[in-house]
Amino acid sequence: MKKNARLLYLLTVWTFFTPFSSTATPTLADEENPPAAAPTVTYVLSMPEPQTHYFEVEMQLKNVAAATNAKKNGYVDIKMPVWTPGSYLIREYAKNVEAFTASAGGKTVPSEKIRKNAWRVQSTDDNLTIKYRVYANELTVRTSFVDADHGYVTPAGVFMYHDALKNIPLRVVVQPYKDWKNVATGLEPVAGQSYTYEAADFDILVDSPIEIGNHATFTFTASNVPHSVSMFGDVNYNEKQLAADYKRVCEAAATVVGEHPCKHYTFIVHHIPPGGGGLEHLNSTTLETTRNAYATEANYKRFLSLVAHEYFHLWNVKRIRPVALGPFDYENENYTHMLWLSEGCTSFYQEYILRRAGFHSPESYLNLVASSITDIENQPGTRVQSAAESSWDAWIKGYRPNENSSNTTISYYSKGSVLGTLLNLAILGGSNGERNMDDLMRLLYTEYYKKQKRGFTDDEFRKAAEQVAGRKLDNFFNIGVNSAEPINYNAYFEPVGMQLINVAARTQDGFLGAATTMANGKATISSVRRGSAAYRDGLNVGDEVISVDGFRVGDDLLRFVSGRRVGDKLLVLVNRAGQLRELPVTLTQNPLASYRIEPLSNQTAAQKALYAKWLYIN
Ligand SMILES: [Zn+2]
């Protein structure tokens, strides 16, 4: 993708600089007006007062008049991305920008804001200096932060660009605060120049966050690639053990595609409360976790899952990608139906990788699969929104949940993870264990990333999956991916000799379907499940529950339901916007399922063999 984009740029520039290119012999005019020197862009990033949460950026543009068409236009437009790849929400990074100025030859030139994220600099000069400040006080993996302790740069929210200068090599010079010594980033260091880095184009710059401060760093080699891990935050860990486990996870992840495309790889780890999540990049990732990440086995497994997830993204989504996900439009939503693949199947792989690396036993892996099926089947939205629709609407639904989201949407992570499991089983079953999901990943990587240097369309993905499975996958795509209809799970589990069983007891215990949160001693309804008693009988999100059957309710609403039967009636007194209302509610049956994956009785030898292949049991 980068190579394609660069080639296009070179062609454009070449055409522009050689207007007489149709003439074979150079004319005198050519020789009198040799092509201008190549344009360059250097960003100088400083943080002289980190305690105020400001980054200072100086963007130095050299030899840009021709490339930007400044002479003809009379101006150049400088822009800030509105979102960052991997996090599908318009974040309006320009809201944090102030004090934008432009100068040429030491003299200020006029500039004005022309859109929410764009500034027009009225200059035809070849060399320009743009300065601005960025307020950075939100420490997440998708925003920027600087304080007295450290700085973290999400490049999409800190570095501006010109449309015609996105495909040239860009430089970043970091000027760390006073006694800060360490900079961690996936960018290429420029030899012999301290804290100076180069990106082959703007996409790569945006894809390379930067950590600045006095963080600790340890290193290890995996798949012959040097890896570094930068640790921000006071935290106890056993470096030797951690490095060994990272290596195990990374090498298991690398076996999927079988080729590691990075020269080096950087982990930036923030240990902060509440801690959770990560963002993938081309040859780096930022992980956010708690200071207790390494304290218990359960926490540690969850952390390693996060490592596996973000690391596997270096293949799935950064290189194996839907056509919409790169090169990016930084000013608008980039729509795809396939986040269930890019995110969900990465979630599938995070646990599959841990199984292969020996961190999950076959039984604990099966339990994880069963509980992810339980999660999606217990969410009413799974019968409303398909995985493809969930992907498409990430921008307005997935990233903007409200109190009704669980009734009307399904996460492309959780549904996609289940779909990954099913597709893997469909390929295993269809190929008699000759192939699995790895072969599909490898085919997509080889054909689209390496050969065609582009993303794939929905149809191309389906064809590739069917090719690897050795048969049509109508049920998988038509029902599993593109509809909200129930999935026949057992058709997928049967070839490996297993079945999905709902073990939730069907009792006559009554079910209400409302959850509350406590604030200032008041129990307020926070969600109402579609189809439940609370939903049908009119309890609303936002209602303060005062009493049930005349008894005061605190944080114990469910206590009033326990022991009641299906069909029992409750009289619920609520305060709704200052008005008291009595609502009769008739309890329904508990609709929640609890799935387990269990062996079929009288498994065949073929099923047993396929089961062993599925779960990497030797
Ligand atoms: Zn992800």
Side-chain angles (χ1 to χ4, degrees), residues 280 309-310 313 343 346 413:
E280 69 277 6
H309 181 103
E310 302 306 336
H313 268 313
E343 283 301 343
T346 301
Y413 284 90

Side-chain angles (χ1 to χ4, degrees), residues 502-512 561-568 587-594:
N502 180 6
V503 295
R506 274 281 165 262
T507 66
Q508 284 302 301
D509 292 346
F511 181 79
L512 178 62
V561 180
S562 93
R564 308 296 285 267
R565 311 288 285 172
V566 174
D568 279 3
L587 298 179
T588 55
Q589 191 167 47
N590 188 338
L592 300 177
S594 177

Side-chain angles (χ1 to χ4, degrees), residues 18 29 42 52 61 70 98 105 132 179 183 293 365 403 463 472 478:
T18 53
T42 302
T52 65
L61 302 123
E98 62 186 68
Y132 53 91
D179 53 354
V183 174
Y365 179 75
E403 71 285 350
K463 283 203 184 86
K472 295 294 249 181
N478 298 349

